[in-house]
Amino acid sequence: MSGSERGMIMMKFADLIEKNVEELAALDAINGGKLFSHCKAMDIPGAARNLRYYAGAADKIHGTVLKLSKGFQGYTLREPIGVVGSIIPWNFPAIMFFMKAGPALAAGCSMVVKPAEQTPLSALYYAYLAKLAGLPDGVLNVVNGFGETAGAAISSHMDIDKVTFTGSTEVGRKIMAAAAASNLKPVSLELGGKSPLLIFEDADIDQAVNIAFNAIFYNKGEICVASSRVYVQEGIYQTFVKKLVEKANAWVIGDPFDPRVNQGPQTDKKQFEKILSYIEHGKREGATLLTGGKRLGSKGFYIEPAIFTDVKEDMTIAKEEIFGPVMSLMKFKTMEEAIKRANNTTYGLAAGVITKNLNVANTVSRSIRAGIIWLNCYTAFDVDCPYGGYKMSGFGREFGLDALNQYLQIKSIVTPIHDSPWH
Amino acid sequence: MAAASRISSLLSRSLLSKGRICGLGRSVVCSYTTAAALEKPITPSINVNYTKLLINGNFVDSASGKTFPTYDPRTGDVIAHVAEGDAEDINRAVSAARKAFDEGPWPKMTAYERSRVLFRFADLIDQHTEELATLETWDNGKPYEQAAKIELPMISRLIRYYAGWADKIHGLTVPADSPHLLQTIHEPIGVAGQIIPWNFPLLMFAWKVGPALACGNTVVIKTAEQTPLSALYAAKLLHEAGLPPGVLNVVSGFGPTAGAALATHMQVDKLAFTGSTETGKIVLELAAKSNLKPITLELGGKSPFIVCKDADVDKAVELAHFALFFNQGQCCCAGSRTYVHESVYDEFLEKAKARALKRSVGDPFVTGIEQGPQIDSEQFEKIMRYIRSGVESGATLETGGERIGDKGFYIQPTVFSNVKEDMLIAKDEIFGPVQSILKFKDINEVIRRANTTSYGLAAGVFTQDIDTANTLTRALKVGTVWINCYDVFDAAIPFGGYKMSGQGREKGIHCLSNYLQVKAVVTPLKDPAWI
């Protein structure tokens, strides 16, 4: 099909998603403990938005006509890579599904998607809508299952041309190893993070508190870019902490279907226990638990947002990805020091900087080794903005036109040219 | 998608089911549906609802209250009277566009929201295809099937193409030589003035309005006085799709008044013009003398269609025929100089003549008709003058050359052979159903002859040989080279002229730069980690 024909089907798919927003939102809320209102207002419309972006890109995949040396002419074609294996996590089922499917389908690939075992439901619904939209059979396949079985089968499959994975760094390693051991399929990985947020003295404190709070507690901390290390310049530290705690105390944890609630349950028992164990660790290692950190209720996996202070760089809670509502708050003196500490991690997914100063903004954004730097904002994703990790947070970029490159390969075609009036 | 083969197969399929033969006192079997041309023309089943100017979201009378008639080229009868815009109306339209850009919501919406309006517009075009195609055929004379099955889908396709660019307009960050952050931002240019011709009224509307709006600009568009109707209806649909008032303003009127006012307006930031080369020169001059507004020009052509010695003659004849005769020969890129290699010349000529004789001419609302009337009496007279000039200058009139009927502007498909380079019919743009066939010996000769023109819009190359195709492609000084095809107009293909066929490109990614301006932003960096 031409790119534009693929685009038309994808547009229809997006329209169908919007039509069914309530059900899709409810599925993610129930499966993942995500806030129903957020799923309805952001996750699901975000998925449709993503699809439309790539639908509009499907007919714009350009190659290059080259400037070759005398005697030759050539051009490149960007061809679909083929069959894409997509292994996605449970924290944003809708967004993750389309983060990969959007560009892969636009590029003309076919897909085998393995959703997370914790959140298998909405993917099946999307597959159904895809068929209604006119996607030919076989283009989008959804196989629910577990990582060790279905996921591993994808990474080592000889007929899969590309694997794209979002999940933990440890599983990412396994996938890359399996890809290498099988058919050397190209791999893109979106892995974990321990993203720093640097708040300078000239920041508007209320704004900074707001940003910092949401940067870690949004989606109950189950977000790879979560700013789990917050560095506040000492001049504003006391005021900042006070306002932060006030905000934590006003934070409502409960049933994600209740519109008054700010935070639902963690996604499952395993995550729940892991987070609580990190909180214990933090306390044992000598950090001060300022607020929260306890289980709420006796059913389900609800945890009060935890804020630790007096955190040292070498503590476990400062180094390892917790993937829960646990903030590590630290103080800094100078910009240079903050940069050094921010970079002191094997991760490199995101970072935030809050300052009004042009020089600080420019210097810090160039100095931090992370794939996305948010200046005076956080978790500000846009489908046109490339996103991905440095270092062990992964490689390859998603969103934006760059994402298409994951699903294309370049073919160069070269011919001799005679009698050209120019070269 | 090869529009050429789709169009000609579409039309020839309808033709096969409608074999018409008439004897006109010649021993030649011909298919000009003279009878059909003389029959009472079909009355279109729609009403013309939109005849006023569209300014600031409202249909309004012209400032002077004047109107002008738009004619049915099948008969010369008046279809409707349309508000006639002049300088004052252009002022009002530009004011509305200026305000909509400087203060209104359009440029401040997210690009995604703008794209949603344009996608909705495309959907509305699809839903109203019949009415739009009917207006188009009524006002212009092109076959209804062509308008409905080829042009209207191209129109909605193109709108969708540009809607998809809206949220992907990127600048760059570029490497610095010293510690600086260097960005280029591509900003909308502001108020775009657009002047469009009558040969593809709605398609030209889409080519202009689509990219301009996708880039976040506001528009004042002046339609051709011969064909004001379809743009007004389309603009109404665009407002229905959610376009804020003032973003698109449509002024019907004449070149020397409304067109000139737009070209000289100090508040118009950019002008895009499609039309004749001579008018293009005037427009360029006016822009220079007023506020130096940047201009894109899509002008005339005298495009060569080169049939090489290895050609499959039947295919070459059909394609060459299509390249010239499509849209009553009223295409800026019409393949109006058909160069045929001497080794296949005689066979080609015989078949080209036969094909022209088979071409069915008549009421464009009749199914199966390939050719309708020319647009108006001015064009009609001009074409007839060129035909006379061809005969007088010694070319051989193989077939055609006469008017059909005595109402409307129908001309027989005309073929000249033994055409020499210095004849007017070989040099000037005729813009009618007049094919000129010339003979050539070798490739260097045909390159030289093909390039000996002040035009440079397009060329067709008919060969299976890789080297011939490559050599001709590079050597021909034209904006589009069609190899073994013609008039393929995918949305992503840039189109425009070399030399006096114009400047700038429309369609494709290239068109975006016409409606954007580049702002470089430079900030010093203190002790950057890298440069």
Side-chain angles (χ1 to χ4, degrees):
Chain A
M1 277 183 193
S2 66
S4 80
E5 287 168 296
R6 282 198 292 279
M8 297 279 279
I9 291 175
M10 290 169 71
M11 283 290 181
K12 236 187 254 160
F13 192 4
D15 290 344
L16 287 168
I17 290 170
E18 276 183 343
K19 265 206 191 64
N20 291 283
V21 63
E22 294 259 347
E23 281 171 82
L24 291 162
L27 284 174
D28 280 356
I30 237 183
N31 237 181
K34 295 165 64 66
L35 296 182
F36 175 71
S37 58
H38 275 223
C39 288
K40 197 170 159 194
M42 307 207 335
D43 288 46
I44 313 303
R49 165 78 189 99
N50 186 309
L51 254 184
R52 289 197 178 106
Y53 178 91
Y54 289 104
D59 57 354
K60 299 173 177 64
I61 296 175
H62 298 140
T64 313
V65 172
L66 306 164
K67 193 77 173 164
L68 300 185
S69 299
K70 198 176 167 89
F72 289 93
Q73 69 176 6
Y75 58 93
T76 64
L77 294 174
R78 288 163 75 205
E79 303 187 337
I81 199 163
V83 179
V84 173
S86 168
I87 302 173
I88 52 178
W90 43 260
N91 57 343
F92 287 88
I95 305 264
M96 290 295 158
F97 190 97
F98 290 99
M99 217 163 162
K100 326 266 180 195
L105 295 176
C109 296
S110 58
M111 300 181 76
V112 177
V113 181
K114 187 206 90 59
E117 60 270 24
Q118 296 90 339
T119 52
L121 300 177
S122 57
L124 295 171
Y125 204 120
Y126 291 125
Y128 163 70
L129 294 177
K131 197 176 160 88
L132 277 186
L135 206 67
D137 290 342
V139 173
L140 179 62
N141 305 278
V142 177
V143 178
N144 277 310
F146 291 76
E148 308 76 34
T149 47
I154 287 178
S155 351
S156 49
H157 206 288
M158 297 298 284
D159 282 329
I160 289 182
D161 302 296
K162 154 84 193 188
V163 157
T164 174
F165 170 77
T166 297
S168 70
T169 298
E170 79 175 284
V171 175
R173 279 187 203 268
K174 294 196 183 126
I175 290 179
M176 196 169 166
S182 56
N183 64 347
L184 277 173
K185 56 175 72 57
V187 170
S188 52
L189 303 173
E190 296 279 356
L191 308 174
K194 194 70 184 177
S195 305
L197 173 62
L198 277 55
I199 302 174
F200 288 83
E201 270 162 6
D202 65 344
D204 172 314
I205 297 185
D206 289 312
Q207 188 197 64
V209 165
N210 223 16
I211 291 175
F213 199 87
N214 285 293
I216 175 66
F217 297 118
Y218 177 61
N219 205 50
K220 46 222 168 71
E222 292 170 349
I223 179 168
C224 38
V225 297
S227 174
S228 43
R229 290 184 292 149
V230 180
Y231 295 92
V232 183
Q233 202 161 28
E234 51 184 18
I236 54 166
Y237 184 82
Q238 295 301 342
T239 320
F240 180 87
V241 174
K242 182 157 157 284
K243 294 191 180 221
L244 197 66
V245 172
E246 274 165 26
K247 198 166 169 79
N249 293 335
W251 197 241
V252 180
I253 300 119
D255 182 346
F257 283 92
D258 184 336
R260 294 164 304 168
V261 160
N262 301 122
Q263 178 181 319
Q266 306 309 127
T267 202
D268 64 7
K269 189 158 192 253
K270 186 163 154 222
Q271 290 301 311
F272 172 77
E273 285 173 349
K274 178 172 136 190
I275 295 160
L276 287 178
S277 124
Y278 271 114
I279 292 172
E280 283 315 302
H281 228 101
K283 291 197 287 203
R284 271 205 307 278
E285 285 184 313
T288 306
L289 182 57
L290 212 53
T291 180
K294 290 194 303 294
R295 180 184 198 175
L296 199 65
S298 54
K299 280 192 91 171
F301 314 119
Y302 296 90
I303 301 180
E304 295 170 344
I307 301 176
F308 276 103
T309 57
D310 302 320
V311 179
K312 303 276 181 298
E313 291 295 329
D314 58 357
M315 289 181 184
T316 312
I317 57 167
K319 293 202 302 207
E320 293 182 17
E321 187 181 41
I322 300 172
F323 224 68
V326 182
M327 179 197 289
S328 291
L329 197 52
M330 291 166 274
K331 201 187 298 188
F332 75 92
K333 264 199 178 59
T334 66
M335 178 179 69
E336 290 72 15
E337 172 207 341
I339 289 169
K340 209 142 161 253
R341 288 165 73 182
N343 280 334
N344 184 28
T345 167
T346 53
Y347 290 116
L349 193 49
V353 184
I354 305 184
T355 177
K356 293 199 181 77
N357 186 283
L358 206 50
N359 284 328
V360 169
N362 281 335
T363 300
V364 175
S365 49
R366 288 241 172 173
S367 306
I368 295 189
R369 311 260 312 137
I372 185 160
I373 312 282
W374 282 303
L375 283 172
N376 298 323
C377 58
Y378 208 87
T379 328
F381 284 106
D382 191 293
V383 69
D384 190 43
C385 180
Y387 160 70
Y390 275 41
K391 298 158 43 178
M392 291 181 78
S393 287
F395 47 83
R397 289 293 173 268
E398 299 195 281
F399 289 145
L401 292 176
D402 290 288
L404 290 165
N405 293 330
Q406 307 289 352
Y407 306 102
L408 297 163
Q409 40 194 1
I410 297 181
K411 172 184 284 175
S412 302
I413 297 168
V414 181
T415 341
I417 178 95
H418 317 291
D419 313 316
S420 175
W422 59 269
H423 280 285
Chain B
M1 164 206 119
S5 57
R6 266 175 61 192
I7 295 167
S8 57
S9 74
L10 180 82
L11 294 174
S12 56
R13 250 182 293 129
S14 342
L15 220 101
L16 282 171
S17 61
K18 297 235 181 272
R20 289 168 222 255
I21 302 191
C22 62
L24 289 174
R26 304 188 201 182
S27 55
V28 160
V29 164
C30 78
S31 205
Y32 310 140
T33 50
T34 313
L38 292 176
E39 277 162 16
K40 189 168 174 353
I42 292 172
T43 308
S45 55
I46 59 162
N47 293 323
V48 176
N49 293 323
Y50 304 102
T51 56
K52 299 193 185 196
L53 311 179
L54 179 45
I55 298 181
N56 209 27
N58 298 311
F59 281 104
V60 293
D61 292 319
S62 64
S64 62
K66 279 167 74 185
T67 62
F68 68 96
T70 184
Y71 299 99
D72 181 342
R74 302 174 297 163
T75 56
D77 295 341
V78 173
I79 301 173
H81 287 91
V82 167
E84 183 184 334
D86 202 324
E88 174 53 29
D89 306 284
I90 291 289
N91 280 336
R92 291 177 184 181
V94 172
S95 285
R98 186 84 260 158
K99 187 147 185 263
F101 185 81
D102 293 339
E103 299 165 34
W106 185 246
K108 298 185 183 55
M109 279 180 186
T110 62
Y112 176 58
E113 288 169 303
R114 278 196 291 278
S115 79
R116 300 289 284 137
V117 172
L118 293 173
F119 275 113
R120 270 195 295 273
F121 177 40
D123 288 342
L124 287 169
I125 291 173
D126 287 342
Q127 284 160 37
H128 294 269
T129 283
E130 280 177 33
E131 291 133 277
L132 287 163
T134 303
L135 277 177
E136 201 76 330
T137 291
W138 202 358
D139 220 1
N140 167 281
K142 64 178 73 225
Y144 175 79
E145 283 176 299
Q146 176 188 314
K149 298 199 174 130
I150 305 211
E151 293 181 31
L152 263 300
M154 276 173 78
I155 288 163
S156 60
R157 164 76 192 106
L158 190 100
I159 297 295
R160 289 189 175 103
Y161 176 84
Y162 282 108
W165 269 122
D167 57 353
K168 302 172 181 66
I169 292 174
H170 295 147
L172 299 170
T173 56
V174 300
D177 298 334
S178 57
H180 287 85
L181 170 65
L182 306 177
Q183 300 174 67
T184 63
I185 312 180
H186 292 207
E187 303 187 340
I189 200 161
V191 175
Q194 305 180 321
I195 301 173
I196 54 176
W198 46 260
N199 57 343
F200 291 91
L202 198 58
L203 190 62
M204 293 293 110
F205 176 88
W207 280 27
K208 298 270 185 287
V209 166
L213 294 183
C215 291
N217 299 291
T218 58
V219 172
V220 175
I221 186 163
K222 183 203 94 58
T223 51
E225 60 272 23
Q226 297 88 340
T227 52
L229 300 178
S230 55
L232 292 169
Y233 189 76
K236 178 209 165 273
L237 293 176
L238 191 38
H239 285 82
E240 234 177 82
L243 198 73
V247 177
L248 172 66
N249 305 275
V250 183
V251 176
S252 323
F254 292 77
T257 48
L262 198 52
T264 45
H265 207 290
M266 298 297 284
Q267 293 294 314
V268 168
D269 300 299
K270 152 81 194 184
L271 195 82
F273 170 83
T274 298
S276 69
T277 296
E278 75 175 289
T279 310
K281 287 164 101 175
I282 296 172
V283 163
L284 189 57
E285 210 184 316
L286 291 175
K289 285 182 169 163
S290 54
N291 65 347
L292 277 173
K293 53 177 74 58
I295 300 259
T296 39
L297 299 170
E298 298 277 357
L299 308 175
K302 192 70 183 177
S303 303
F305 186 95
I306 300 170
V307 179
C308 300
K309 63 180 182 230
D310 66 337
D312 173 332
V313 174
D314 290 321
K315 290 204 177 105
V317 163
E318 189 57 39
L319 197 57
H321 179 85
F322 169 75
L324 186 283
F325 288 101
F326 178 63
N327 207 48
Q328 293 72 250
Q330 297 166 154
C331 286
C332 42
C333 53
S336 46
R337 289 182 290 154
T338 310
Y339 289 96
V340 182
H341 191 269
E342 57 183 11
S343 62
V344 293
Y345 181 87
D346 293 334
E347 189 193 343
F348 183 96
L349 184 57
E350 193 191 308
K351 290 180 169 170
K353 174 177 165 178
R355 180 60 182 93
L357 278 165
K358 259 179 50 196
R359 189 170 186 78
S360 66
V361 184
D363 183 344
F365 281 105
V366 171
T367 310
I369 289 295
E370 294 177 281
Q371 179 177 318
Q374 309 308 124
I375 185 74
D376 63 11
S377 60
E378 194 190 314
Q379 289 297 313
F380 175 85
E381 294 300 339
K382 178 176 139 189
I383 296 161
M384 297 308 285
R385 274 199 306 275
Y386 275 111
I387 292 173
R388 279 195 293 277
S389 145
V391 171
E392 278 156 25
S393 60
T396 308
L397 179 63
E398 295 285 342
T399 182
E402 310 271 318
R403 181 183 195 180
I404 301 180
D406 51 17
K407 275 197 100 174
F409 312 114
Y410 295 90
I411 299 179
Q412 293 175 341
T414 302
V415 178
F416 280 105
S417 64
N418 294 322
V419 179
K420 302 284 181 294
E421 297 295 329
D422 56 357
M423 294 176 181
L424 283 183
I425 56 169
K427 293 198 299 198
D428 292 359
E429 187 180 40
I430 301 173
F431 229 62
V434 180
Q435 185 175 40
S436 290
I437 302 182
L438 307 98
K439 192 190 298 191
F440 77 94
K441 246 197 187 64
D442 73 68
I443 210 168
N444 291 319
E445 171 212 337
V446 78
I447 288 170
R448 193 185 30 82
R449 289 166 68 184
N451 281 336
T452 305
T453 167
S454 55
Y455 290 117
L457 192 50
V461 172
F462 205 92
T463 180
Q464 292 301 310
D465 184 79
I466 295 178
D467 288 332
T468 306
N470 283 337
T471 300
L472 283 171
T473 296
R474 290 240 174 165
L476 293 167
K477 296 188 169 43
V478 295
T480 301
V481 178
W482 282 301
I483 303 177
N484 299 329
C485 62
Y486 211 85
D487 283 343
V488 176
F489 278 112
D490 290 11
I493 308 175
F495 179 80
Y498 276 40
K499 299 155 45 176
M500 290 182 79
S501 285
Q503 46 189 250
R505 292 293 175 268
E506 292 192 308
K507 300 198 292 104
I509 188 178
H510 299 78
C511 189
L512 296 173
S513 59
N514 298 336
Y515 296 103
L516 297 165
Q517 41 195 0
V518 178
K519 174 181 284 176
V521 182
V522 184
T523 330
L525 298 171
K526 244 179 94 178
D527 310 316
W530 61 272
I531 297 184

